[in-house]
Amino acid sequence: MFSKFPLFQSHLDLAHNYWQSCVTPGDIVIDATCGNGRDTLFLCKLALSSGDGHAYAMDIQSMAIEKTRKLLSENLEANLLNRIILTQGCHSQFPTEICESSVKLIVYNLGYLPGGEKSLTTFSPTTLKSLESAQTLLKKGGIISLTCYPGHPAGKIEEEHLLAYVSGLEPKAWSSCHHRWINRREAPSLIILQKSA
Ligand SMILES: C[S@@+](CC[C@H](N)C(=O)[O-])C[C@H]1O[C@@H](n2cnc3c(N)ncnc32)[C@H](O)[C@@H]1O
C-alpha cells in the first residue's frame, strides 16, 4: 500500500534519510537495539566503508546478538567485522570503552523483536536512562534517532515519556523534533535529536 509514496514509505525510510545525511565513513555509530541486525547493517555500510569507523550494537537478547552477527558476516567483507562490537546487555549501560563526545549517531528502534517474545520490549525507565548516557557519548552535531511504536500499550507509554523528556531539552544545546503520520492511525513515529555543533 505504501509503495506508492516514493519519498518515504515508512518511519524507517525517514530515519534512514537522516542517518545517511549525518554519518560519513570513519564515524563511530551505535545501534542500541540491534534486534535482527538490519539497522546495524545499514549503519555499518555508512560508517565502515573507509577510514577507521567503528560500530557498536547492543541488545538484551542473546538471540538478537547472534542474528545480527550472522547478518553482518553474510553481508560485509570479513575485514570490516573486527570493527563491529556486539554486546549483549541493557542499553542503559553502554560499553565503557566508548569515549564521551565521540559518537556521530545513536539509533534506537524501540519495542520488541518482530516475531519474537513481546514481553522483551524496551521500557521507558531504561530507555530514558540510556538516552541520558547517549547524550554524553554524542559528539557535537551528532544525532540520536528513536523510532517509537505507540500502536501497543507499552510503546504508547514509552513514546509519551520520551516526548515529555525531549520537549524539555535546552534549545541552545539540543534540537529535538518529532515526526509522525497524522493520517495513519497508531503508526510508528520518529524522534530526532541533534546536539548543537
Ligand atoms: C524493534 S526491535 C529492533 C529491530 C532492529 N533494529 C532490527 O533492525 O532488526 C527492538 C529490540 O530492542 C531490544 N531491547 C529491549 N529492551 C532492551 C534494552 N533494555 N537494551 C537493549 N536492547 C533492548 C529487544 O530485544 C529487541 O530486539
Side-chain angles (χ1 to χ4, degrees):
M1 166 182 167
F2 298 139
S3 61
K4 292 184 179 167
F5 300 102
L7 181 59
F8 43 76
Q9 297 167 29
S10 75
H11 61 298
L12 290 176
D13 295 330
L14 186 56
H16 288 177
N17 285 341
Y18 280 108
W19 303 355
Q20 278 169 317
S21 66
C22 159
V23 176
T24 53
D27 281 336
I28 298 173
V29 294
I30 301 177
D31 185 349
T33 53
C34 65
N36 290 320
R38 284 192 295 261
D39 292 331
T40 310
L41 178 61
F42 191 92
L43 294 176
C44 288
K45 286 179 177 172
L46 295 178
L48 307 186
S49 59
S50 68
D52 189 32
H54 278 76
Y56 292 84
M58 299 188 72
D59 203 288
I60 40 167
Q61 297 190 59
S62 59
M63 182 185 72
I65 295 297
E66 289 322 311
K67 283 187 168 186
T68 299
R69 193 186 308 283
K70 184 167 181 292
L71 188 75
L72 298 177
S73 62
E74 287 170 353
N75 289 278
L76 294 175
E77 289 177 21
N79 64 330
L80 299 184
L81 299 177
N82 61 4
R83 289 198 271 131
I84 305 169
I85 300 92
L86 302 179
T87 306
Q88 185 192 348
C90 176
H91 48 214
S92 57
Q93 181 69 61
F94 286 110
T96 51
E97 75 215 52
I98 308 175
C99 297
E100 287 187 7
S101 307
S102 69
V103 182
K104 192 65 167 294
L105 173 66
I106 304 177
V107 165
Y108 298 80
N109 188 346
L110 300 172
Y112 49 81
L113 193 60
E117 173 54 60
K118 291 188 179 177
S119 63
L120 295 172
T121 187
T122 54
F123 181 52
S124 54
T126 41
T127 306
L128 285 166
K129 188 165 182 237
S130 177
L131 186 52
E132 287 186 1
S133 308
Q135 288 172 262
T136 307
L137 297 181
L138 208 65
K139 68 193 312 184
K140 287 181 178 174
I143 284 179
I144 299 174
S145 165
L146 301 119
T147 53
C148 305
Y149 293 85
H152 68 106
K156 188 164 178 53
I157 294 168
E158 187 173 40
E159 185 192 59
E160 284 168 5
H161 288 173
L162 282 169
L163 288 175
Y165 177 75
V166 302
S167 303
L169 292 175
E170 164 57 47
K172 284 190 181 152
W174 292 93
S175 162
S176 66
C177 193
H178 184 212
H179 298 271
R180 68 187 178 93
W181 268 264
I182 53 179
N183 68 344
R184 290 184 196 168
R185 220 170 146 257
E186 297 186 329
S189 71
L190 174 67
I191 297 171
I192 294 287
L193 305 182
Q194 184 168 34
K195 195 175 203 173
S196 167

